[in-house]
Amino acid sequence: MPVRKILCLLPLLLVTVIAVRQRSVLAEGFAQLRHAQWPWLLAALAATCLTWVAAAVTRQGAVVERLPAGRLLAAQFAAGAANHLLPTGLGASAVNLRFMTVCGVPLARSSAALALYLMAEGVARVGLLAVLLLVFPDALRLGSLLPAGALGPLLGVLGAAVLAVAGALALVRRLRSAVCSFLRTALGEARSVHSRPSRALALWGGSLAFPVLQAAGLAAVGQALGLPVPVAHMAVAYLAATVAVALVPTPGGIGSVEAALIVALVAAGGPVAVATAVVLGYRIITVWLPLVPGALTLGALVRMKVI
């Protein structure tokens, strides 16, 4: 079978496998949603749709060349399905890297634009979390949820990872040369983007809007199911959970995202049962409902040679 046909069928196969493995989660989530206030669920769905627009705006802001807007938006929708094949973020990155190269952006600059996008999105997410924690210092109560003495080993692992990376760069000349070359390209791309106010505004505005819309979606589901947690505290819980789960390389964040969100909502003061229902409802809206159309869009973009 030709490789292109395999690529077209792979998303549909992926949907089937994930749906079978997570069928109990889907059933429980849908059962809870039957008792939800549907206007709030529609608001969560609208916020989810706007996240793809925010992602497209940010992707455009990360590259100097003008990308075709319609295809760029379709690529962000398809990237959501691709994210369930590879660890969190890698599927979307692969789709967007391929999209930019097909649009004529050289591979080195496409990779630099991708790194700029990830950097801007990470800075915006962590920065927003820091600001909200300063404004709402009591939003999360993690003391009773963290195992005693867990912080020390975690910091030790992070320190060891940093030392391992630094040692590899110091000892492996080819790796050091490749990293330095990439950094030069990335810095050049960043300077070019920030020399254009419209691109810089798109990059940072979209990067900030993306986590805000995601948090708004979770807060809307919380309102729909009557979670007794203030909206601002739900936003803090969402941002804290997603920042933490970025360190866990599971495909599409499946499993790790749900666990982190439930822990964060409980730490924000929500009952465990309601927090679990909110997370299930949120994941159904943001992951499962768009999965089949996203996979079909991905297959169509592959057939059209857009990616």
Side-chain angles (χ1 to χ4, degrees):
M1 181 180 294
V3 174
R4 187 166 296 279
K5 288 186 177 181
I6 294 175
L7 291 175
C8 293
L9 292 175
L10 186 57
L12 293 177
L13 177 62
L14 179 64
V15 170
T16 303
V17 171
I18 293 176
V20 169
R21 292 182 62 183
Q22 301 291 326
R23 60 186 180 277
S24 60
V25 172
L26 289 172
E28 184 178 353
F30 277 118
Q32 292 287 343
L33 288 179
R34 285 202 297 267
H35 307 291
Q37 300 179 36
W38 285 98
W40 283 112
L41 295 182
L42 292 176
L45 182 60
T48 299
C49 293
L50 288 175
T51 60
W52 302 318
V53 177
V57 170
T58 311
R59 300 282 184 186
Q60 176 60 83
V63 66
V64 173
E65 287 84 353
R66 183 71 178 175
L67 302 174
R71 293 185 176 187
L72 177 60
L73 181 58
Q76 305 320 302
F77 184 49
N83 251 356
H84 292 82
L85 179 62
L86 297 172
T88 305
L90 292 183
S93 297
V95 168
N96 281 282
L97 186 63
R98 176 62 181 168
F99 175 76
M100 285 186 286
T101 55
V102 169
C103 287
V105 183
L107 180 59
R109 292 188 49 241
S110 295
S111 301
L114 181 62
L116 182 59
Y117 167 87
L118 294 174
M119 182 272 293
E121 203 276 333
V123 168
R125 188 178 296 268
V126 173
L128 183 61
L129 174 61
V131 170
L132 288 177
L133 284 175
L134 288 175
V135 178
F136 305 102
D138 298 325
L140 295 178
R141 298 183 290 275
L142 294 172
S144 60
L145 296 175
L146 290 177
L151 184 59
L154 177 60
L155 292 177
V157 170
L158 292 176
V162 171
L163 289 176
V165 172
L169 290 174
L171 297 174
V172 184
R173 184 173 181 179
R174 286 188 176 182
L175 177 61
R176 185 170 64 252
S177 299
V179 170
C180 290
S181 176
F182 174 77
L183 289 176
R184 283 193 295 270
T185 303
L187 289 174
E189 190 70 16
R191 283 194 297 268
S192 298
V193 164
H194 286 88
S195 67
R196 299 175 178 234
S198 61
R199 291 292 189 269
L201 179 62
L203 175 66
W204 293 103
S207 295
L208 184 61
F210 188 74
V212 168
L213 289 167
Q214 289 181 318
L218 179 66
V221 178
Q223 294 290 92
L225 291 170
L227 182 69
V229 175
V231 170
H233 291 196
M234 279 191 268
V236 172
Y238 175 81
L239 293 169
T242 53
V243 168
V245 86
L247 303 175
V248 183
T250 58
I254 293 175
S256 58
V257 170
E258 286 84 356
L261 283 174
I262 291 170
V263 168
L265 288 177
V266 171
V272 175
V274 183
T276 301
V278 168
V279 171
L280 290 172
Y282 177 71
R283 293 292 278 175
I284 286 171
I285 290 173
T286 58
V287 175
W288 299 109
L289 287 182
L291 187 56
V292 171
L296 294 174
T297 302
L298 178 60
L301 292 179
V302 171
R303 287 193 301 271
M304 295 166 59
K305 300 182 180 180
V306 173
I307 56 175

